C-alpha cells in the first residue's frame, strides 16, 4: 500500500516539475535553484550566528557575518549575470530550446527529490521498494 502511495507521489512530482520546468525554461530554473540554495545557506548562517551569539563565541559570529556579506555580493553578481541571459532566453528561436531544457532540468530535480526522499524514508526504516 505504501509503495503505491510513494509511486503516485513520485509520478505527481515528476509531472509537476517537468511542467514547471517547461513553463519557466532552463535559465529561470537555474536562477530559481541558485536562489533557493543561497537562501538556504543564509538561513543556516543566521541560525549559526544566533547560536554563536548566545554562546558568546564572537569569532564564529564574525565569520557568519562575513559569510553573509559574501553571499549577498555573490547573489548580486549572479543577478547581474543572469538578467541578460533571461532576456536571451525569450528570443523566439532560443525559447523552444530553453523550454525543452527546462523540462529536462525539472525531470532532473524530480529525480533528486525522489532519491533524497527515498533515502530519508529508508533511514527511518520505511522501505518503499
Amino acid at each position: 500500500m505504501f509503495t503505491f502511495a510513494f509511486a503516485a507521489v513520485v509520478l505527481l512530482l515528476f509531472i509537476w516539475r517537468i511542467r514547471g520546468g517547461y513553463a519557466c525554461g532552463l535559465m529561470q530554473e537555474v536562477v530559481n535553484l541558485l536562489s533557493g540554495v543561497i537562501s538556504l545557506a543564509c538561513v543556516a548562517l543566521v541560525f549559526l550566528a544566533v547560536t554563536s551569539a548566545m554562546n558568546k563565541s564572537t569569532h564564529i559570529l564574525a565569520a557568519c557575518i562575513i559569510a553573509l556579506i559574501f553571499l549577498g555580493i555573490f547573489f548580486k553578481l549572479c543577478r547581474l549575470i543572469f538578467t541578460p541571459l533571461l532576456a536571451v532566453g525569450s528570443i523566439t528561436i532560443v525559447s523552444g530550446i530553453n523550454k525543452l531544457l527546462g523540462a529536462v532540468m525539472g525531470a532532473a530535480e524530480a529525480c533528486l527529490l525522489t532519491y533524497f526522499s527515498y533515502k530519508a524514508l529508508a533511514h527511518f526504516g520505511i522501505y518503499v521498494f
Side-chain angles (χ1 to χ4, degrees):
M1 176 68 179
F2 192 72
T3 303
F4 294 120
F6 184 75
V9 168
V10 167
L11 181 67
L12 289 174
L13 177 69
F14 267 88
I15 292 170
W16 172 59
R17 287 313 313 143
I18 290 173
R19 187 171 178 206
Y22 183 79
C24 292
L26 177 68
M27 303 295 181
Q28 188 65 42
E29 283 288 315
V30 170
V31 169
N32 291 343
L33 186 64
L34 186 65
S35 176
V37 168
I38 290 175
S39 298
L40 188 63
C42 286
V43 168
L45 283 171
V46 167
F47 281 135
L48 184 61
V50 168
T51 57
S52 64
M54 291 172 62
N55 293 334
K56 297 183 181 175
S57 179
T58 56
H59 63 283
I60 295 176
L61 178 62
C64 288
I65 291 172
I66 291 170
L68 281 169
I69 291 170
F70 281 137
L71 274 176
I73 292 169
F74 178 71
F75 186 70
K76 275 295 201 190
L77 287 174
C78 287
R79 187 172 174 196
L80 288 172
I81 292 169
F82 280 111
T83 301
L85 288 177
L86 289 173
V88 168
S90 64
I91 297 173
T92 306
I93 297 171
V94 180
S95 178
I97 297 169
N98 187 26
K99 288 186 178 291
L100 182 65
L101 290 175
V104 171
M105 177 84 167
E109 287 178 21
C111 285
L112 282 174
L113 287 172
T114 301
Y115 175 76
F116 287 135
S117 62
Y118 176 77
K119 286 296 185 182
L121 289 174
H123 177 72
F124 291 115
I126 303 171
Y127 297 102
V128 292
F129 295 114

